[in-house]
Amino acid sequence: MMKEAEKEAMRIGVNFRVRELKKEIDELVDKEYRMWFQRSKALWAANGDKNSKFFHCRATQRKRKNSILKIHKADGEWSLDMEQVTEALITYFKELVFKSKFFLDCSILEASNSYSGSYAWHSILKGWDILLKGARWRVGSEESISVWLDAWLPSLEHPRIQSYIVEGFKDIKVKDLIDPETRNWDDNLIQGLFNNQEVNLIKSIPLCPTPIADTLTWPFNALGSYTVKSGCKFLAKDELHNQSPTHSNQNNDLWKLIWGLEVLNKIKNFVWRSSKDAIPVRKNLKKRKILNDDKCKQCGQDEESVLHAIWECSKLSPIWDAIPEFACHQSRSFADIKDLLLYVSNAGSKVDLLAVIMWNIWYHRNQLRLNKDNPISQVIQTSQQCLLEYQKENRVQRTQMDTPAPTRVAWHPLPDGCVKINFNGPTFKDINKAGLGIIIRDGFGQVLTSLSKQIQLPYSLDG
Ligand SMILES: [Zn+2]
C-alpha cells in the first residue's frame, strides 16, 4: 500500500497520503515495541526468577531465532552459503540506505524519537517535495514506470512525455516500448507515439541486456543519490527555469511603467511595493504571525490582501466607480496589483492617476487605523489636485531644462581697420616669476605682432 502511495505521490506531486501512511506505520511500530517490552517484563517476572532452566531455554531459542543461516535472495532462490548471505544482506541494506536518501525509513525512526526528531521529520518532508520534483526513473524491465505520467526521460527541463496520449495506449508502461527479444527500443512504436525530440531522448537511454529493476534515481549528482548540495543546486536551476521570458518581460514592463510615472517618488515606491505584495496588509501580517485575523476591517467581508485593500474592497467603490477611466473596476477581476497596473496601462488609461489614488487610499486606510478622521469622499479630489500640482511643477522644471543653453559665440571677421589684441599674465609663485603674453591680429586673423616675456613677480602680488 505504501509503495502504491509513493508511486502515486511521484506522479501527482502530492505526498499527503504517504505522510498519513507513515504516521500510521510509525504508531504501529511504537505499539509493537511497547507490547514486546511489556511482555518480556511480564514473562521475566513470572518465570525468570523461579527457574533458571526457563531463562537458558529462552536465551538459546532467541539466539536460534536471531541467527541467519539462510536467506531468500532477490532472484527468489534460497541461499545457505554464508558469503552469499552476507552479500545479500549488504545489498539489502545498501538499498535501504538508498531508500533512506529518499526519506522513507529513516524519517519514521526520527519522527518517533523526540521533538528534534520531529523537527527533522518536518524538514525531511520539505526535502521530499524537492525529491518529487527532481527524481527520475531509471528504466529497467519492470512494469512500474508509466509512459505518460512518470518522469523517466533523460532531460532536466522535460523529464515527462509532452506528446498527446494516443488512443489505445493510455495505460502502457515503459517496458512495453522495449522489444522483449532484442532488448532494444521498439523504433516503430516510439516513432508512432512521440515527437522527434522525445524519440531521440528515449533512444539515448541505454538498455541493460539482462532484466533489472526500475529504479528511482537522483540525476543531479554522479552517484545518483540525493545530497543536500545537489538538492539546493537543483532548486536554484528550477527557479531560473521557472522565470520564463514572458514572466521576466512582464516584470521589465512593470518596472519601466512604474518608474516612468509622472508622480512623486514616494508614490512610485509605494506602487512598486504593492505590486510585489510587500505592504503590511492584514493578510501579510497574519502570514508573519503578527496578527491572527486577516479579515478586512473596512468591509468585514474578505481577507485584506493588497489588491483588496487598494482596489477590491467594497468600501472603495465610490472612488473607483466614479472615474470613467477605471470602469474595469466593475467589469473585470484582477489577479493582483501587477495585473491591474499592466491592464490599465495597456488600455491607455491614466496610470498616473491610478497610482496617486492608490497611494491616497492606503493613506486613508492607515489614518482610519489610527482613528484619525479622513473622509473617503476626499480621496479623488486630493489625488487629482496632488497629481495636477506635481505635473505642473514638473513641467516648469522640464521647460527650464528644455530651454537651450546659450550658444558659444562664433568668431566673425573684424570690421575693416580694426585689430584684435589678446593678452595674458600668468603668475608662477613657486619660482617667483610672472609671464606676459600679447598677440595682435588683423581683421583676417593674421598675426601683426606678438610679445612673450618672463618677468620677476612684482612684490605687490606676494602679499
Ligand atoms: Zn474590505
Side-chain angles (χ1 to χ4, degrees), residues 281 294-316 320 329 337 361 365:
V281 287
D294 60 2
K295 199 165 267 185
C296 170
K297 291 285 167 199
Q298 303 298 313
C299 64
Q301 288 164 356
D302 299 301
E303 65 174 19
E304 191 194 66
S305 63
V306 178
L307 188 71
H308 180 89
I310 294 173
W311 178 259
E312 281 180 342
C313 184
S314 55
K315 295 279 172 188
L316 302 175
W320 295 119
H329 182 255
I337 293 290
I361 287 175
R365 197 164 264 257

Side-chain angles (χ1 to χ4, degrees), residues 153-432:
L153 296 181
S155 156
L156 294 183
E157 287 79 26
H158 301 295
R160 287 179 173 81
I161 293 285
Q162 310 276 311
S163 300
Y164 290 112
I165 299 174
V166 179
E167 219 178 310
F169 289 88
K170 193 182 160 212
D171 298 320
I172 57 165
K173 305 288 177 187
V174 173
K175 188 198 169 200
D176 301 326
L177 305 173
I178 302 167
D179 185 325
E181 284 180 12
T182 61
R183 293 284 307 151
N184 279 326
W185 293 108
D186 187 331
D187 274 357
N188 292 334
L189 187 57
I190 291 174
Q191 278 166 6
L193 292 175
F194 313 116
N195 64 40
N196 284 343
Q197 203 187 353
E198 286 164 354
V199 169
N200 291 336
L201 278 173
I202 294 169
K203 281 184 172 180
S204 72
I205 303 173
L207 290 173
C208 187
T210 51
I212 55 160
D214 296 334
T215 329
L216 259 182
T217 65
W218 178 253
F220 305 97
N221 79 355
L223 295 172
S225 52
Y226 181 85
T227 60
V228 175
K229 195 176 169 187
S230 64
C232 289
K233 276 189 177 174
F234 165 72
L235 272 187
K237 259 190 186 176
D238 190 54
E239 199 149 295
L240 210 67
H241 179 67
N242 285 340
Q243 288 175 355
S244 60
T246 336
H247 185 73
S248 63
N249 279 349
Q250 262 196 0
N251 265 342
N252 279 346
D253 290 349
L254 187 72
W255 174 269
K256 280 185 202 159
L257 170 70
I258 294 177
W259 299 102
L261 291 176
E262 283 192 27
V263 295
L264 288 169
N265 278 339
K266 69 173 180 187
I267 297 178
K268 289 181 197 175
N269 192 300
F270 167 75
V271 175
W272 177 251
R273 284 189 297 123
S274 312
S275 70
K276 292 284 153 192
D277 199 22
I279 58 170
V281 287
R282 298 184 73 86
K283 187 183 171 190
N284 291 346
L285 293 174
K286 190 185 172 190
K287 232 189 273 174
R288 292 185 178 198
K289 314 244 183 278
I290 297 168
L291 291 178
N292 292 325
D293 179 20
D294 60 2
K295 199 165 267 185
C296 170
K297 291 285 167 199
Q298 303 298 313
C299 64
Q301 288 164 356
D302 299 301
E303 65 174 19
E304 191 194 66
S305 63
V306 178
L307 188 71
H308 180 89
I310 294 173
W311 178 259
E312 281 180 342
C313 184
S314 55
K315 295 279 172 188
L316 302 175
S317 295
I319 300 177
W320 295 119
D321 294 346
I323 307 169
E325 278 93 344
F326 304 131
C328 56
H329 182 255
Q330 280 196 326
S331 60
R332 275 186 72 96
S333 62
F334 297 94
D336 48 30
I337 293 290
K338 183 169 92 178
D339 192 19
L340 167 69
L341 285 165
L342 289 172
Y343 176 82
V344 172
S345 164
N346 290 336
S349 301
K350 296 176 179 172
V351 190
D352 295 328
L353 183 62
L354 177 81
V356 182
I357 296 180
M358 276 168 66
W359 188 88
N360 273 307
I361 287 175
W362 183 245
Y363 178 77
H364 163 79
R365 197 164 264 257
N366 284 332
Q367 292 297 102
L368 288 183
R369 211 169 279 161
L370 299 170
N371 293 325
K372 290 186 183 170
D373 189 35
N374 187 262
I376 198 163
S377 53
Q378 287 182 8
V379 168
I380 297 182
Q381 204 191 342
T382 319
S383 303
Q384 281 171 333
Q385 203 176 334
C386 166
L387 187 65
L388 217 66
E389 272 172 25
Y390 175 80
Q391 292 184 345
K392 197 172 149 194
E393 177 74 13
N394 208 30
R395 247 166 242 148
V396 172
Q397 279 180 10
R398 198 174 288 169
T399 322
Q400 283 170 354
M401 278 166 69
D402 290 349
T403 313
T407 46
R408 295 184 67 180
V409 180
W411 183 87
H412 295 287
L414 295 168
D416 276 352
C418 290
V419 292
K420 185 173 186 181
I421 304 168
N422 290 98
F423 57 89
N424 194 18
T427 58
F428 306 99
K429 286 187 181 174
D430 50 338
I431 52 171
N432 207 30

Side-chain angles (χ1 to χ4, degrees), residues 24-38:
E24 213 172 295
I25 291 171
D26 210 17
E27 284 168 6
L28 286 172
V29 167
D30 191 44
K31 271 186 191 165
E32 192 188 14
Y33 171 77
R34 270 187 282 148
M35 191 267 281
W36 281 112
F37 183 75
Q38 282 167 357

